Amino acid sequence: MKVAIIGLGFRLGYLGRVFRELDPSFEIVGYVDPAPAGMATLAENGISAGVAHTTPEALIAAGGFDLLMIGSPNHMHLNHIRLGLEAGLTVFTEKPIVTSVEESFALASLLHTYGHDRLLVGLVLRYSPLYRDLRKAQAEGRLGDVVSIEASEHIQPYHGAFFMRDWRRYGRYAGGFMLEKCCHDLDLYNGVVGARPRFVASFGGRKSFIPANAPQNSGINDMEVYHRKPSGWEGSDKVFDSDGDIIDYQTAIVEYENGVSMTFHTNLNVPDEFRRFCVIGSKGMAEGDFVRGFMDVHDARTNEKVVANTYSAPSALSQHYGADEQMAEDVIAFVQIGAKQPVSAVDALEAGILALAMDEARFGRKVVDLQPVWEKFDACLHGAPGAVQARSA
């Protein structure tokens, strides 16, 4: 399989290694990136990045590839996706798919024009063995009707510091932390609920990564842990005095259109990190943790534990609990034989809109009603007269 890359950052550099391990014929024919942070990872694994192009248009015009992969900063995604779809290409984009509700409408219009199946999205947790087992237990009726969900994504201080230093610290580039990092999780639970979110409230801010908490203020001057994860484009050395507008903790509550409720919590300064959920249904409960690698299901009538699964990554180099390998395998199968994917561009847009609503609620200290958003989104998705049209950036 031959690919071209717009935005050769750390993420697509890593995925290049994963794709090559699964498909020895995997080849990158060219890329566009003025400062390709992922180049070193490719070189370490003997993978060429192909020909460097100065613009996405030049890369696309050169041709000779089966898949266009987009790993550019989030605020550039819409234009890069549009270029690929207009050129008749199959496109894979990293998450989040776009960075605003208006961009969501514009991409929905593009999907109406060019079709849904040509745009793949890297919501990698949909491919994880744990999530697949959760949906299997649900399909088997072990949970009954879903009633409520408690979920979280918590990351260690070294990772939180990365967000304070990277381009993702700016909402204008990333769309906010809930969108940039937690859209994975929101997508998972949207899928479990099987309905769109309707009402959203949220609170949060920054309390950990502030000047008063810098180690040197406690007589300690060891900042190594906070620089362990390298930053790329627009990177900074500032951690506790970051100039970004990113949060380091946030809590949200959601009511879905079918009445299911969910609480979701994220924190960027958790020493013993976890990424867990508890899905409570009318017949049972599923509890699991992607980081700690388990999923248990209990029967509500007997209290019996009917599922007790454990999980481990396939190798020490594996990210996302082994889901990257399955995602790469599925994307290759899509390119080669059109195999069905477990997540769609529409799923990604719906998760993104929920994340953006969480920030709208946080900023305005209000409950956001998403019904008007879904009405306009569906109008764009189905090409209703007057719907938003995507334009060149």
Side-chain angles (χ1 to χ4, degrees):
M1 184 175 77
K2 295 182 178 182
V3 307
I5 291 176
I6 301 176
L8 182 50
F10 293 117
R11 175 64 179 160
L12 288 195
Y14 168 76
L15 285 182
R17 179 185 69 78
V18 174
F19 273 78
R20 171 62 67 83
E21 288 179 352
L22 291 169
D23 179 6
S25 71
F26 174 83
E27 178 185 353
I28 303 171
V29 302
Y31 72 94
V32 177
D33 194 320
M39 186 73 77
T41 302
L42 294 178
E44 288 169 3
N45 290 277
I47 302 171
S48 169
V51 178
H53 295 268
T54 56
T55 66
E57 290 84 353
L59 175 69
I60 290 171
F65 54 89
D66 307 302
L67 180 69
L68 177 65
M69 300 186 75
I70 296 172
S72 51
N74 305 344
H75 70 294
M76 300 178 182
H77 285 182
L78 178 62
N79 190 47
H80 293 159
I81 292 168
R82 180 188 59 78
L83 291 171
L85 294 179
E86 287 180 348
L89 302 172
T90 300
V91 179
F92 170 92
T93 182
E94 262 303 316
K95 59 77 194 168
I97 199 163
V98 291
T99 60
S100 71
V101 172
E102 287 302 320
E103 286 187 348
S104 300
F105 296 151
L107 184 51
S109 293
L110 281 174
L111 295 177
H112 170 74
T113 301
Y114 296 104
H116 296 205
D117 293 340
R118 284 173 39 213
L119 179 58
L120 312 178
V121 61
L123 281 171
V124 66
L125 290 191
R126 281 269 190 151
Y127 299 82
S128 65
L130 192 162
Y131 185 68
R132 292 186 174 199
D133 286 348
L134 171 62
R135 296 307 306 274
K136 179 175 180 287
Q138 186 179 10
E140 291 171 348
R142 295 186 182 276
L143 305 182
D145 295 329
V146 175
V147 176
S148 61
I149 298 175
E150 178 184 294
S152 61
E153 181 184 7
H154 294 161
I155 64 176
Q156 290 188 41
Y158 86 91
H159 202 170
F162 161 78
F163 281 99
M164 296 298 146
R165 297 172 15 249
D166 193 61
W167 59 262
R168 294 165 176 85
R169 69 189 184 275
Y170 298 125
R172 65 182 181 272
Y173 294 149
F177 182 82
M178 203 52 100
L179 178 68
E180 156 62 25
K181 188 71 172 70
C182 301
C183 62
H184 283 304
D185 306 79
L186 302 181
D187 168 63
L188 297 185
Y189 306 122
N190 283 355
V192 168
V193 173
R196 285 172 167 172
R198 173 67 189 275
F199 297 105
V200 183
S202 186
F203 304 91
R206 197 192 305 181
K207 286 184 176 292
S208 294
F209 290 101
I210 59 175
N213 294 329
Q216 54 265 35
N217 293 332
S218 303
I220 302 170
N221 197 23
D222 183 6
M223 293 288 288
E224 183 276 331
V225 66
Y226 301 110
H227 295 269
R228 190 171 296 167
K229 185 175 174 65
S231 59
W233 176 67
E234 292 279 321
S236 168
D237 289 333
K238 295 182 180 295
V239 178
F240 293 90
D241 51 351
S242 170
D243 64 347
D245 51 22
I246 193 172
I247 57 92
D248 62 23
Y249 73 98
Q250 189 167 345
T251 303
I253 56 174
V254 182
E255 183 177 77
Y256 286 84
E257 290 177 337
N258 59 1
V260 172
S261 67
M262 177 175 73
T263 63
F264 186 82
H265 178 221
T266 187
N267 192 297
L268 284 65
N269 193 45
V270 180
D272 189 10
E273 69 180 2
F274 51 93
R275 195 174 197 170
R276 66 190 181 199
F277 60 84
C278 184
V279 178
I280 302 171
S282 58
K283 295 183 179 180
M285 177 184 87
E287 183 179 9
D289 190 319
F290 290 93
V291 173
R292 297 173 183 180
F294 77 90
M295 186 189 74
D296 297 334
V297 177
H298 284 80
D299 183 277
R301 182 178 60 83
T302 65
N303 294 345
E304 179 187 2
K305 184 185 291 188
V306 293
V307 174
N309 292 349
T310 58
Y311 306 87
S312 60
S315 77
L317 295 176
S318 181
Q319 298 178 9
H320 294 113
Y321 332 112
D324 282 309
E325 289 81 357
Q326 186 61 57
M327 182 183 75
E329 185 176 321
D330 284 12
V331 169
I332 292 167
F334 179 87
V335 171
Q336 293 178 343
I337 61 173
K340 184 176 175 59
Q341 302 295 291
V343 63
S344 71
V346 174
D347 294 327
L349 287 168
E350 291 178 346
I353 287 171
L354 174 55
L356 291 162
M358 288 176 175
D359 277 342
E360 181 185 351
R362 178 173 63 86
F363 289 135
R365 291 188 170 273
K366 62 182 181 180
V367 175
V368 173
D369 182 356
L370 281 172
Q371 183 175 0
V373 175
W374 297 130
E375 289 174 353
K376 189 171 182 179
F377 180 77
D378 286 336
C380 295
L381 200 58
H382 299 107
V388 175
Q389 298 298 314
R391 297 182 296 274
S392 299

